[in-house]
Amino acid sequence: MITFKLNDMDKFKTVFTLLVALFICNGFYVQAQDEITLMVSADGMTKGEATKSALRSAIEQAYGAFVSSNTSILNDELIKDEIVTISTGNIKSYKEISSYVSPDGNSFVTLQITVCPSKLISYAQSKGAEVEFAGATFAMNLKMKELNKRNEEIVIKNMLYEMDKLYSEGLDFTIETGEPKADGKLEATVEVIPNEYGVKAWKLFYSTLDQLSLTDKEQKEYEISGIPMYILECYGYRTIVTETDIIKEFIEREKEDVLTMGKKWSDKQANKVEKFVRKNFDIASLVEERNKALMENPSLELKRNFAFRSFETLKSINAYLSYYYVKRIFGFIIKAGNKVSTIDLISSVASYDDRYERTIKENYVSYGENIEMGKTPLIGMKSSIHSNKEQWKVIYAHCIISWARYLTDPPYEGFSGGSVGFQREYIANKELLGYIVNIPLHQSVIKNGVHTLVDKGIKNFPSFFFDEQRGQRYGVMVSYPHHIVGNAIHTIYMDMQIPVEDLMKIVKIEIQPRR
């Protein structure tokens, strides 16, 4: 079981330049026996330094994988610039894919680099080393697949570390509070808003997954060879429908009917359908009706789909999205008078209802050092065993859909709202909560004289689970929303309790990031 601990990663920070080697191995292939192309990312104090670090990493990887496993002869020379220059022939070419400046002031670059193994062989031999290049196509392909798998795991972990650096400065917060009640109870609404660093983190996540994901051709090759692949389906809440969406639905329905009858379909037919729809339907009214319905009951749709080489990749994404990213969402302090209130998470415990045997063991996850995992309880019962129970509190419990098809299809007969296989309990340091009581899932309100439950909790709250119907090879990520500078991505509804004597002294309640 992977645990993604930022404290452990902080050990990598030294007085020297931090090298974040993201070997994006989907682009790692052999064009010919004398060319290896790979994607490498690194950071440095300047863009030039980051570029040199990436080039050195490319040389080291190519040498170790395809020339010799003994890299001692290379390590002494990597500090010299001449070994990684194009003029030597070791690096045939490279081009920049992306670059940006991190919150710590370092530059981060991603390069596509082509390395020449034969030049490395000549270089090693000139130093007196005996080397052997595995030139057999079959052996090379096997070695490539294994290297890609190992590097994919490194890529993901380093990417998540870089993302967390960006998120440490990448989220801003606003707060609105209602009128306090006589007993000091207060409802507060917090909006989580990404700035430029938050947007960079979101873009880094998807651009890296795009590079890592197996291509259609590679997926077919893996399938034929019987090599396991691990699929990540990314779902998001659909909150707006456009005219294009409406027209596309008409076209898709017509296309399906035509193909069902065994006839051919063409772009010309699609254009005819679009003209017909625009002439005979009030599209603007359809868009308005659909968007009104979505506002009342947001639906989920599949946004992206990725195929990976390693199960560890899915587990690392699960760990980050389910806990470390949530810590960043809660990365604020609320100042009311002289008191500060924070939600300092110490663990995320995944428990499941024993009645649903579909839930597989990979959904048992605990992060942090203060939780002692015993047998997890049924939903609705008291939480797991804790070594210091007086100091923690379940601040939020998130129920997670257990089957991927419940995201889009109607539930089975007998299930009114779909099947929930397990929930995550987010455990906070009780002493630091201050005036914060909890994040309620629902609120009871009176509408037309009738008590009604209104969904509260956290809007667009992210979650990850393994699709029990298809097994651990299928991970489902729900609601890691699109980031746009200044647009709220999450809304947190909180209940607060302020003693009346304190309430009398408070002039204003403020919120700010916890950097």
Side-chain angles (χ1 to χ4, degrees):
M1 181 76 64
I2 279 185
T3 54
F4 182 85
K5 295 187 178 181
L6 300 181
N7 289 334
D8 292 342
M9 287 192 174
D10 287 340
K11 295 177 183 177
F12 288 106
K13 293 181 180 179
T14 67
V15 293
F16 299 103
T17 303
L18 172 66
L19 172 62
V20 184
L22 301 181
F23 300 103
I24 306 179
C25 308
N26 183 51
F28 199 172
Y29 59 93
V30 178
Q31 293 173 320
Q33 284 193 347
D34 202 28
E35 289 186 11
I36 301 171
T37 301
L38 61 153
M39 304 288 291
V40 180
S41 295
D43 77 347
M45 295 181 67
T46 65
K47 185 177 178 181
E49 188 174 304
T51 299
K52 287 181 180 180
S53 294
L55 293 174
R56 291 188 184 102
S57 296
I59 289 288
E60 190 172 39
Q61 284 288 302
Y63 186 95
F66 295 99
V67 179
S68 172
S69 59
N70 181 7
T71 58
S72 59
I73 187 175
L74 186 67
N75 292 336
D76 293 336
E77 301 295 328
L78 273 175
I79 58 173
K80 297 181 181 180
D81 290 342
E82 57 264 26
I83 195 175
V84 295
T85 60
I86 291 180
S87 61
T88 64
N90 294 319
I91 299 289
K92 183 175 181 180
S93 64
Y94 71 89
K95 67 177 181 179
E96 181 182 308
I97 302 302
S98 65
S99 65
Y100 61 83
V101 178
S102 299
D104 58 9
N106 281 0
S107 293
F108 189 85
V109 300
T110 299
L111 307 177
Q112 185 182 70
I113 306 169
T114 300
V115 182
C116 296
S118 66
K119 296 292 184 180
L120 288 176
I121 291 174
S122 298
Y123 169 81
Q125 289 174 334
S126 72
K127 298 296 182 179
E130 292 184 4
V131 298
E132 180 180 352
F133 180 62
T137 303
F138 179 74
M140 204 172 202
N141 285 338
L142 290 180
K143 184 176 288 189
M144 185 76 74
K145 285 181 171 59
E146 184 58 33
L147 177 63
N148 286 346
K149 180 179 178 181
R150 291 197 309 269
N151 282 351
E152 178 184 279
E153 296 168 3
I154 297 172
V155 168
I156 289 294
K157 289 181 180 179
N158 289 335
M159 174 201 71
L160 295 174
Y161 176 59
E162 185 69 21
M163 284 175 62
D164 209 72
K165 285 202 307 181
L166 291 167
Y167 274 126
S168 68
E169 301 286 338
L171 297 176
D172 299 316
F173 305 88
T174 64
I175 186 170
E176 291 186 5
T177 59
E179 289 295 323
K181 296 183 170 56
D183 58 0
K185 289 183 179 179
L186 186 69
E187 293 179 2
T189 302
V190 174
E191 287 195 332
V192 184
I193 305 168
N195 55 37
E196 60 175 317
Y197 291 124
V199 172
K200 286 177 181 178
W202 185 87
K203 288 182 177 179
L204 175 62
F205 180 79
Y206 278 115
S207 64
T208 303
L209 297 196
D210 282 334
Q211 294 288 349
L212 280 174
S213 181
L214 293 165
T215 64
D216 292 341
K217 182 179 179 180
E218 289 171 324
Q219 290 182 49
K220 289 179 181 178
E221 181 184 344
Y222 272 59
E223 187 176 346
I224 292 171
S225 302
I227 302 174
M229 294 177 292
Y230 300 88
I231 309 301
L232 176 63
E233 296 178 340
C234 302
Y235 288 81
Y237 286 98
R238 188 171 188 177
T239 55
I240 187 169
V241 173
T242 65
E243 286 191 3
T244 302
D245 295 323
I246 297 293
I247 293 170
K248 184 178 178 180
E249 288 180 7
F250 276 101
I251 293 174
E252 288 300 320
R253 283 201 293 266
E254 182 66 20
K255 179 180 178 180
E256 185 177 352
D257 291 341
V258 170
L259 295 177
T260 300
M261 292 185 290
K263 298 180 180 180
K264 293 183 179 180
W265 179 259
S266 66
D267 291 339
K268 186 176 180 180
Q269 290 170 283
N271 292 333
K272 286 183 178 180
V273 173
E274 179 175 350
K275 290 180 180 178
F276 177 83
V277 171
R278 289 188 180 279
K279 181 179 179 180
N280 294 279
F281 291 88
D282 185 350
I283 301 178
S285 296
L286 291 175
V287 169
E288 184 179 355
E289 290 174 9
R290 290 283 294 279
N291 282 328
K292 183 179 179 181
L294 283 172
M295 289 295 289
E296 295 174 354
N297 186 24
S299 63
L300 286 162
E301 64 177 352
L302 182 62
K303 297 288 188 179
R304 307 198 189 196
N305 192 303
F306 303 99
F308 299 114
R309 303 161 182 85
S310 174
F311 182 44
E312 297 301 315
T313 295
L314 296 186
K315 289 168 70 176
S316 292
I317 295 174
N318 178 14
Y320 188 80
L321 191 78
S322 300
Y323 179 60
Y324 295 100
Y325 175 70
V326 178
K327 283 177 71 76
R328 293 303 181 189
I329 293 176
F330 291 147
F332 55 81
I333 63 174
I334 296 175
K335 291 185 176 181
N338 295 323
K339 192 159 188 174
V340 172
S341 303
T342 67
I343 301 177
D344 183 25
L345 293 184
I346 59 175
S347 186
S348 163
V349 179
S351 59
Y352 87 111
D353 190 325
D354 289 326
R355 292 172 298 176
Y356 299 101
E357 296 180 1
R358 298 183 301 270
T359 304
I360 58 179
K361 64 182 180 181
E362 282 77 14
N363 282 322
Y364 291 101
V365 182
S366 177
Y367 311 105
E369 299 177 353
N370 296 323
I371 299 298
E372 293 179 358
M373 290 298 292
K375 178 176 171 58
T376 51
L378 297 179
I379 291 175
M381 296 178 65
K382 292 183 178 180
S383 187
S384 307
I385 301 170
H386 192 278
S387 59
N388 206 346
K389 198 170 183 178
E390 291 74 23
Q391 295 182 7
W392 65 268
K393 179 177 181 179
V394 176
I395 190 69
Y396 184 56
H398 180 63
C399 294
I400 300 173
I401 303 168
S402 72
W403 281 16
R405 64 196 167 104
Y406 283 115
L407 298 172
T408 53
D409 296 341
Y412 273 148
E413 184 179 353
F415 291 98
S416 59
S419 170
V420 174
F422 71 104
Q423 69 175 11
R424 274 203 171 88
E425 295 177 341
Y426 287 89
I427 299 172
N429 187 327
K430 188 175 181 180
E431 295 179 351
L432 299 179
L433 287 175
Y435 295 138
I436 300 172
V437 177
N438 71 332
I439 300 170
L441 289 173
H442 308 284
Q443 180 187 14
S444 179
V445 299
I446 300 177
K447 287 184 178 181
N448 300 323
V450 179
H451 281 276
T452 305
L453 285 178
V454 176
D455 287 338
K456 287 287 185 179
I458 302 174
K459 183 181 178 182
N460 290 336
F461 189 77
S463 63
F464 185 104
F465 64 92
F466 293 95
D467 182 358
E468 295 83 354
Q469 189 180 23
R470 295 178 291 178
Q472 69 179 24
R473 292 185 184 178
Y474 290 83
V476 179
M477 190 178 84
V478 180
S479 191
Y480 176 43
H482 187 100
H483 288 31
I484 299 174
V485 173
N487 286 15
I489 51 176
H490 303 289
T491 303
I492 305 171
Y493 300 93
M494 296 189 304
D495 287 339
M496 301 180 68
Q497 177 74 55
I498 304 177
V500 176
E501 57 271 21
D502 291 352
L503 193 60
M504 301 291 290
K505 303 173 186 176
I506 295 173
V507 177
K508 186 178 181 182
I509 296 178
E510 300 176 317
I511 190 170
Q512 64 186 51
R514 189 170 73 239
R515 302 298 193 205

